[in-house]
Amino acid sequence: MAKYGEGDKRWIVEERPDGANVHNWHWAETDCLPWSKMFFTKSLSDLTILDGQGNLRIKTKKVEKVDGEAYVNIRKGKVIPGYEISLSVSWEGEAKDGEGKTLLKAEGNLEIPYISDENADEDPEVKVTVKDEGPIGKALKEAMLAKGKPLVLEKVRDFVQAMAKGGPVKDELEAKKSAPKTNTTTSNSNSAAVSKEKVGVEKEPKKEVEKEGKKGFKTITMSEKFNCRAKDMYEILMDENRWKGFTQSNARISKEVGGQFSIFDGSVTGINLELQEGKLIAQRWRFGSWPDGIDSTVRLVFNEPEPGVTIIKLTHSDVPEEDRYGNATVVENTERGWRDLIFNKIRAVFGFGI
């Protein structure tokens, strides 16, 4: 992820008295770290976790730190959030006996070491510590994990959704969308009528495009060369044990047409559409972070121009530009996944590099 403030200045428009970023055509970048600190301070300070249940009282005290970077890029009205932050929250707990006598008061810390836009569809790791490691202290810690962790993760998900909508610039974006458009008057009523007729004509093709369902989707194409036989690459991509090996993640892959597959610990699921050994793999792919009902199509065509050299042509169509959270990095992340997590890993693990 590029760091805030390090974008190409040819594409980032600064606030100037002599110019305006009309319709946000160029990149408009906003530092969101101060806003992020305020968001988590408001959401996670003095948050009641348990209020007497099981003779335990637990609540957060305050947000000790929010470190890292967070920003929102706006281009042509599209929100592109970016963030890599960590946070630390102090908490306190009290355990009482059946008669209401205090057995122990303890303090601890809750840490989330990594919250990132690249993992917006996944809950981040949460670590809980307590200063008193005795039996009662450990009981308070376990209660904080069991009851406090879900509440904290709920606030993190609120943050992810807020950033996807623009974070601190959300109100500004909504104001621009809802601003009434000014009508320009013309001295010639006939020309105004003609203009209305033109507008009516121009609306029809737009409806046709929306009907085709292609707006908001992209196609990824790649051509990759490997030092191996085509059948070897085919077998690797259709064998779940080899998938587990080069991705270091769980995989279940059917080798039959119409069979289902699940890779990257279930993050990607789909169905085999067409299989020709050593020649073609066609599948329906779906990422868990995509909006409901959205599927894409993957076609891997194998060509062996000479023995021991294989060229794979990838066409990954109908990839949505945004995930269910509004993050507009789906196409970029999918392309990087094919290149870095699949093709380059196969070269490294199986020695097929060229």
Side-chain angles (χ1 to χ4, degrees), residues 3-259:
K3 291 185 178 180
Y4 170 76
E6 292 187 358
D8 190 332
K9 292 187 179 297
R10 293 173 298 175
W11 298 101
I12 298 177
V13 175
E14 299 176 354
E15 293 183 3
R16 304 180 305 172
D18 61 338
N21 188 6
V22 180
H23 301 309
N24 287 311
W25 180 264
H26 300 286
W27 287 102
E29 190 169 87
T30 302
D31 182 8
C32 298
L33 187 59
W35 176 87
S36 301
K37 292 180 178 179
M38 291 178 59
F39 181 96
F40 283 117
T41 297
K42 183 178 179 180
S43 300
L44 296 178
S45 297
D46 199 26
L47 180 65
T48 299
I49 308 300
L50 287 174
D51 191 18
Q53 299 92 324
N55 295 324
L56 300 178
R57 295 182 182 275
I58 300 175
K59 72 171 187 176
T60 62
K61 295 173 65 178
K62 65 177 182 177
V63 175
E64 301 292 341
K65 66 174 183 178
V66 177
D67 292 335
E69 58 183 353
Y71 59 82
V72 166
N73 283 321
I74 309 294
R75 186 168 186 260
K76 292 192 286 186
K78 184 179 292 293
V79 178
I80 306 175
Y83 46 89
E84 288 182 355
I85 60 177
S86 62
L87 64 87
S88 176
V89 181
S90 58
W91 63 274
E92 61 184 9
E94 181 181 11
K96 296 183 177 182
D97 61 17
E99 298 178 355
K101 181 180 178 181
T102 298
L103 299 175
L104 177 71
K105 289 184 177 181
E107 295 182 343
N109 200 52
L110 180 146
E111 290 188 8
I112 303 181
Y114 191 64
I115 303 173
S116 169
D117 61 285
E118 295 181 354
N119 302 317
D121 58 323
E122 303 174 6
D123 286 334
E125 178 186 11
V126 177
K127 298 179 179 179
V128 175
T129 58
V130 65
K131 294 181 180 178
D132 189 318
E133 288 290 348
I136 300 178
K138 288 182 178 180
L140 287 168
K141 173 184 173 181
E142 292 301 320
M144 181 63 183
L145 268 171
K147 300 297 183 180
K149 178 179 175 180
L151 292 177
V152 172
L153 288 177
E154 181 180 343
K155 304 301 181 183
V156 172
R157 287 190 286 270
D158 290 343
F159 169 79
V160 170
Q161 293 178 7
M163 284 292 288
K165 294 177 181 178
V169 299
K170 174 188 174 185
D171 293 340
E172 179 184 344
L173 289 171
E174 292 182 346
K176 288 182 179 179
K177 290 180 180 179
S178 60
K181 295 182 179 179
T182 58
N183 295 321
T184 57
T185 59
T186 60
S187 58
N188 192 325
S189 60
N190 290 332
S191 63
V194 171
S195 298
K196 289 180 181 180
E197 290 176 1
K198 287 184 178 179
V199 170
V201 171
E202 290 172 354
K203 284 183 179 180
E204 292 306 317
K206 185 176 180 181
K207 289 181 180 178
E208 290 178 5
V209 171
E210 291 176 353
K211 186 176 181 180
E212 290 175 1
K214 298 300 180 183
K215 185 177 180 181
F217 295 84
K218 297 291 184 182
T219 296
I220 297 170
T221 58
M222 287 185 185
S223 182
E224 299 285 331
K225 185 182 290 187
F226 299 87
N227 187 21
C228 66
R229 303 300 300 264
K231 65 180 184 64
D232 296 331
M233 278 299 300
Y234 179 92
E235 289 174 0
I236 288 172
L237 292 170
M238 292 302 299
D239 185 86
E240 63 184 43
N241 290 322
R242 297 184 190 184
W243 261 94
K244 292 176 184 177
F246 75 79
T247 65
Q248 294 296 296
S249 63
N250 289 325
R252 291 184 296 103
I253 301 175
S254 168
K255 296 183 180 181
E256 304 295 329
V257 174

